[in-house]
Amino acid sequence: MRPLPIRLGLALVVGLGAGILIGMAYAKHTVGRGYDMMSQWAAVGTYEQLADFQCQYADEPHARAALSAFLSFVEKLRAAYHISDPKALEISVARAYVRMAVLDRHAGNADGYQSDLSRAQDALRAAGSAHTSVEDVERSVNQLDSRR
C-alpha cells in the first residue's frame, strides 16, 4: 500500500488531467459559439453603420445602394449561417427598411414607401417587438426624416 501523500498526489494529477481535458472539450464549444456570435454582431453592426452613414451623408442613389447592399448581405447571411441573435438582426433589418421608406418618400415613390413600411413591420414582428403598427413605423420614419 502506498503512503497517503503519494495517493493524494496521484489523485491530484489524475483530477487535474481530467479537468483540463473536459475543460478543453467544452471550452472549444462555448468559446466557438461566443466567437461566432460576436463576429455576426460585429459584421452586421458595422455594415449597418456604414449604410447609415451613406444615408446621412451621401446622395439618394448612393444611400439607396448602400441600404440595398446591406439588405442583400443580411439575406446571404440568413441563407449561409445560423443566425446567433435573430432579434438583433431583425431590428437592424427594420431600421434599414425605415431608412428606405424615408428615401422613397423623398423620391415621391408611394408604392415603394408602403412596401418598405410593410417590410419594416414584418421585421419588427419577427424580432418580437410590440411596436409594429403602421403609426409606430411611420413615427420612426418621421424621426429619421427630421434628421436628414
Side-chain angles (χ1 to χ4, degrees):
M1 186 157 186
R2 296 183 182 145
L4 186 62
I6 293 176
R7 284 192 302 176
L8 289 176
L10 185 60
L12 179 67
V13 169
V14 169
L16 282 174
I20 289 171
L21 291 175
I22 291 170
M24 285 175 26
Y26 283 107
K28 182 178 181 185
H29 177 69
T30 57
V31 170
R33 188 170 10 144
Y35 176 77
D36 289 343
M37 200 180 244
M38 293 299 286
S39 295
Q40 281 184 13
W41 284 342
V44 170
T46 303
Y47 208 150
E48 181 187 18
Q49 191 174 28
L50 176 64
D52 184 42
F53 285 148
Q54 287 281 356
C55 282
Q56 289 178 11
Y57 300 111
D59 58 350
E60 190 266 337
H62 288 100
R64 186 176 301 280
L67 289 169
S68 294
F70 170 71
L71 292 169
S72 175
F73 168 75
V74 168
E75 289 307 315
K76 289 176 185 173
L77 188 67
R78 283 180 179 147
Y81 298 103
H82 170 74
I83 304 302
S84 58
D85 190 358
K87 185 175 182 176
L89 182 73
E90 293 301 330
I91 295 294
S92 296
V93 168
R95 284 187 198 134
Y97 280 120
V98 166
R99 290 183 187 110
M100 289 285 274
V102 169
L103 295 175
D104 282 333
R105 185 162 72 181
H106 279 280
N109 182 359
D111 292 336
Y113 176 74
Q114 290 301 321
S115 175
D116 294 333
L117 286 181
S118 176
R119 288 178 180 162
Q121 284 179 293
D122 292 343
L124 288 170
R125 277 189 211 99
S129 175
H131 305 287
T132 60
S133 70
V134 173
E135 294 81 20
D136 289 335
V137 177
E138 283 186 335
R139 189 175 312 114
S140 297
V141 169
N142 292 332
Q143 287 173 350
L144 276 176
D145 198 15
S146 69
R147 295 182 204 156
R148 188 157 164 68

